[in-house]
Amino acid sequence: MPRTQSASTAPVFRVVVVDDDFRVAALHRAVVEHVSGFEVVAEAHSGAEALQLVHDVEPDLVLLDLYLPDIPGLEVLRRLTGSADDTVDVIVITAARDAASVQEAVRRGALYYLVKPFSSHVLMERLTMYASMKQRIEALAEADQEEVDTIYSILRTGGSRQLPKGHSPQTLGLIVETLRSAGEALTAEEVASQAGVSRPTAHRYLSHLARIGRIRLEFRYGSGRPEHLYEWPS
């Protein structure tokens, strides 16, 4: 859980930055500390140092590079997320673009995978989304499926901060999970049926997701007008 400075202040999320490049680590530290509610409690420049620091300082979040000089970053991730002693969230920040690394990072519990290079604004945005997700979880007494869908959608889609007027994060999460679980391209009508919403509602959210590049839009041609197909990227 994030630490609170007092009963009247917001929680502070304690972060460990892990990068073999001292300059990059310092840059990430500066970005993190520019976001309200976050503080960097340590920097590590190797896998062994990262594991020891996480054990010693017990942060809430680790920003983890995959290219480390001693222990592969994916192995560090496995140890961090698989340990009963060290309970910590991990966002991978790396130049590794290969699908195998992405797949393995997701499998081993990374909350998000951020590909270098990126602007400071992107990292600040993801940290803000992380705080929103964690605070929403902390406030829960009991979660129904709609609330769970919302929580999962916040970090992946940006929650309500990126939504057009009249769109809700709850419905967005429902549409996202419908596409993610389908494993194939669906029409707006099929999404609407599976998600339990109207076709116009499904079409609005699908159009938004396609416009911001979160899903793929394809066309199926027949005898009449081409049919729109929406698919979650694999």
Side-chain angles (χ1 to χ4, degrees):
M1 287 181 60
R3 281 67 170 171
T4 55
Q5 295 174 327
S6 72
S8 61
T9 59
V12 174
F13 294 94
R14 304 169 76 251
V15 182
V16 168
V17 174
V18 183
D19 200 292
D20 67 323
D21 189 318
F22 284 75
R23 292 168 300 176
V24 173
L27 178 61
H28 290 168
R29 171 191 280 271
V31 173
V32 171
E33 294 187 338
H34 193 71
V35 181
S36 177
F38 287 83
E39 64 174 349
V40 174
V41 294
E43 287 182 25
H45 307 290
S46 69
E49 187 181 10
L51 293 169
Q52 187 61 53
L53 280 173
V54 169
H55 178 75
D56 291 345
V57 305
E58 299 182 349
D60 303 294
L61 176 66
V62 173
L63 302 184
L64 177 66
D65 185 19
L66 294 188
Y67 293 132
L68 300 174
D70 52 350
I71 306 172
L74 287 171
E75 174 60 19
V76 174
L77 173 62
R78 184 191 69 79
R79 297 188 195 181
L80 290 177
T81 56
S83 170
D85 298 324
D86 299 321
T87 302
V88 66
D89 294 323
V90 180
I91 293 178
V92 168
I93 297 181
T94 182
R97 296 171 176 265
D98 59 289
S101 292
V102 177
Q103 184 180 38
E104 195 65 18
V106 172
R107 180 181 293 124
R108 295 188 178 186
L111 286 180
Y112 198 74
Y113 194 102
L114 193 55
V115 179
K116 299 176 182 176
F118 51 84
S119 69
S120 59
H121 172 75
V122 171
L123 179 54
M124 292 171 65
E125 184 178 55
R126 291 299 153 185
L127 292 172
T128 301
M129 293 172 188
Y130 170 81
S132 176
M133 180 188 71
K134 294 294 286 187
Q135 289 165 5
R136 191 151 191 154
I137 292 172
E138 291 293 334
L140 282 179
E142 182 176 317
D144 58 20
Q145 188 60 55
E146 183 174 296
E147 185 66 26
V148 171
D149 291 339
T150 299
I151 289 169
Y152 270 90
S153 76
I154 288 174
L155 198 62
R156 292 181 173 89
T157 66
S160 59
R161 295 176 68 251
Q162 293 184 350
L163 289 180
K165 185 177 181 180
H167 289 57
S168 76
Q170 291 86 357
T171 305
L172 177 67
L174 186 59
I175 298 298
V176 165
E177 290 308 313
T178 298
L179 276 180
R180 283 171 58 86
S181 61
E184 60 180 348
L186 300 175
T187 65
E189 185 172 359
E190 289 169 334
V191 172
S193 175
Q194 294 183 31
V197 299
S198 68
R199 187 187 182 284
T201 295
H203 184 265
R204 284 200 308 274
Y205 284 84
L206 291 167
S207 296
H208 166 68
L209 289 168
R211 188 166 53 250
I212 65 174
R214 298 301 299 166
I215 61 176
R216 285 197 291 263
L217 171 60
E218 302 171 354
F219 298 95
R220 182 165 59 197
Y221 293 91
S223 56
R225 296 176 60 185
E227 191 172 36
H228 291 61
L229 294 172
Y230 304 90
E231 185 175 17
W232 189 263
S234 57

